[in-house]
Amino acid sequence: MEAQNPVPPRPRAASPPIARSYSLDVPAELLRTQGFIDGRWVSAAASFPVLDPASGQQLVEVADCGRREARAAVGAAHAAFHAWKRHTAKERSVLLRRWYELLVQHSEDLAKLITAECGKPMKESRSEIAYSASFLEWFSEEARRVYGDIVPSPLKDRKILLLKQPVGVASIITPWNFPSAMITRKVGAALAAGCTVVVKPAEDTPLSALALAELATRAGIPAGVFNVVPCSRERTPAVGEVLCTDPLVSKVSFTGSTATGKILLKHAADTVKKVSMELGGHAPFIVFDSADVDKAVAGAMASKFRNSGQTCVCSNRFLVQSGIYKRFIERLAKVMDAELRLGHGFEPTTTQGPLINVRAAEKVEHQIADAVAHGATVVRGGQRLEGSFVQPTLLANVTTEMLCTQEETFGPLVPVLKFNTEEEALAIANASHVGLAGYFFSQDVSQIWRVAEQLEVGMVGVNEGLLSTSEAAFGGMKQSGLGTEGSKYGIEEYLDIKYMCFGGLTL
């Protein structure tokens, strides 16, 4: 009979001190601290601190915009819309392409801003800027491919045309975990379609959004087309309400938690706005007996530990078939030892930065404690460290009764459950009210088709742990949201279809 603990836990050594103090060496032109409304940098009556999550030290203070500034930004976007929508598709394409080129030109400084305010290692921050820029490049090309239709008419004296037109002002509300890419994924599509935008970045990470505004101006994006209203956690509800209820706003696009998304949906309902919601995930990662274990471990590392587990498509529940359960955990534990290094994001050797704040670290700590209390075994990690650092943690003997299998973690925790049959794995994987991403590893072609079709998620990684690219559709099922971002379908979220019947023709 297999031992209850498949891998003996490694003895815990005292954690080395984490290097935690770095200066932010970014040109002043990109380190903006005011709001950006109608092409101008504007102050607010108050300000709020932006902190380095690795040290807790203050980086800068940023204008704390409120209702007044939010309404001004909406008004500016609405005024600019009437001229922006008349730009030709080619003209909008050229401006977006210039913006893309500026992101590439300033990629190192933009990456430094991400590491400073978000905490992710510089290697990941550089990757995010490349990813962020890719959406501007993609939608600069898609701007010229917004095609309508000519439909065969049932009557000889009329023609049927279906036109696509921009919806109007779009409110863009974004999270802290990808403070640049989540903006360009939405804004690239909106501007390409002919919409104007008001961006409300997360209170933890406003600097990346403001730097994007600076580069948008340099690219020649007209005043009022791209506006940014940073605000503190305390003012977020009021600003969010304005952006979701103002009659001049026609579209709301939000990335964040399911709970917050539901609140914004209620706000938007009163004026029947078009909405896109990219909400929470709880991704299953399934490893079948036929899988290549080394590839599955590599996929698990990529999927789980990117941004210290703080992505909406991170694997959250690891389901491993009984025949390879012990081997998978042994191999994963060794690779974690070899590849993961905690530290400040500016340290060249760091692979795992801090979590975004102490609340995030406390949540992971609570999930680990709950799992251990219910019989899970800590194979690696398991400790909360100073500040918002948490050790990358591997748990064995996990069951579905544990909290870590019932709610999204958003941290470096790998809980591994054992299953026996494909049907059992699918039942566990689909037992969630959300369905954003899912992953599985198998070399059985028939099984690949069955499982891919039966997983109740919007995105499936088959023998692959990284999904995201500007060319592919990004979106979920169930309570993971509404609508699609990226791909050729992303721009459709910012367009209305108008039917024109041209009658009275003599043919």
Side-chain angles (χ1 to χ4, degrees), residues 155-400:
L155 301 173
K156 293 181 179 180
D157 65 344
R158 65 193 65 179
K159 295 291 184 181
I160 296 174
L161 293 85
L162 302 181
L163 311 179
K164 291 185 178 179
Q165 298 181 325
V167 298
V169 176
S171 292
I172 307 295
I173 304 175
T174 57
W176 50 263
N177 57 338
F178 287 90
S180 181
M182 293 301 95
I183 292 174
T184 59
R185 190 164 74 185
K186 299 172 186 293
V187 170
L191 268 59
C195 297
T196 56
V197 300
V198 178
V199 177
K200 205 295 286 182
E203 64 274 8
D204 294 300
T205 56
L207 302 182
S208 293
L210 296 170
L212 286 174
E214 169 63 27
L215 295 181
T217 300
R218 295 187 197 178
I221 305 293
V225 172
F226 182 79
N227 306 275
V228 183
V229 284
C231 65
S232 63
R233 181 178 298 275
E234 290 72 24
R235 290 196 174 182
T236 288
V239 170
E241 183 178 354
V242 170
L243 297 183
C244 292
T245 60
D246 194 302
L248 298 181
V249 173
S250 300
K251 161 81 179 182
V252 177
S253 181
F254 168 73
T255 295
S257 71
T258 299
T260 301
K262 291 177 179 179
I263 294 171
L264 300 185
L265 279 169
K266 290 177 182 177
H267 285 323
D270 282 345
T271 45
V272 196
K273 300 187 191 305
K274 194 177 179 106
V275 296
S276 299
M277 295 277 153
E278 194 266 281
L279 307 178
H282 193 34
F285 187 102
I286 307 171
V287 186
F288 291 101
D289 281 342
S290 68
D292 181 316
V293 173
D294 285 340
K295 288 183 179 179
V297 167
M301 293 290 293
S303 176
K304 177 74 263 187
F305 293 113
R306 184 168 59 127
N307 198 17
S308 299
Q310 299 174 111
T311 86
C312 55
V313 293
C314 272
S315 296
N316 218 57
R317 299 166 291 157
F318 290 76
L319 288 66
V320 181
Q321 200 157 12
S322 54
I324 57 169
Y325 181 79
K326 180 178 179 180
R327 187 152 54 101
F328 177 84
I329 291 182
E330 288 175 341
R331 180 62 182 150
L332 181 56
K334 289 178 181 177
V335 174
M336 288 174 63
D337 292 344
E339 296 185 5
L340 301 182
R341 296 289 181 273
L342 275 168
H344 196 291
F346 285 124
E347 279 289 312
T349 59
T350 294
T351 67
Q352 300 290 286
L355 301 191
I356 188 64
N357 52 41
V358 170
R359 294 187 306 278
E362 289 171 345
K363 179 180 180 181
V364 178
E365 182 181 32
H366 177 61
Q367 286 194 359
I368 294 170
D370 172 81
V372 171
H374 286 86
T377 303
V378 177
V379 179
R380 290 293 185 271
Q383 292 183 312
R384 161 94 180 277
L385 305 177
E386 55 184 309
S388 58
F389 284 91
V390 176
Q391 287 181 328
T393 298
L394 174 60
L395 299 179
N397 305 318
V398 174
T399 68
T400 56

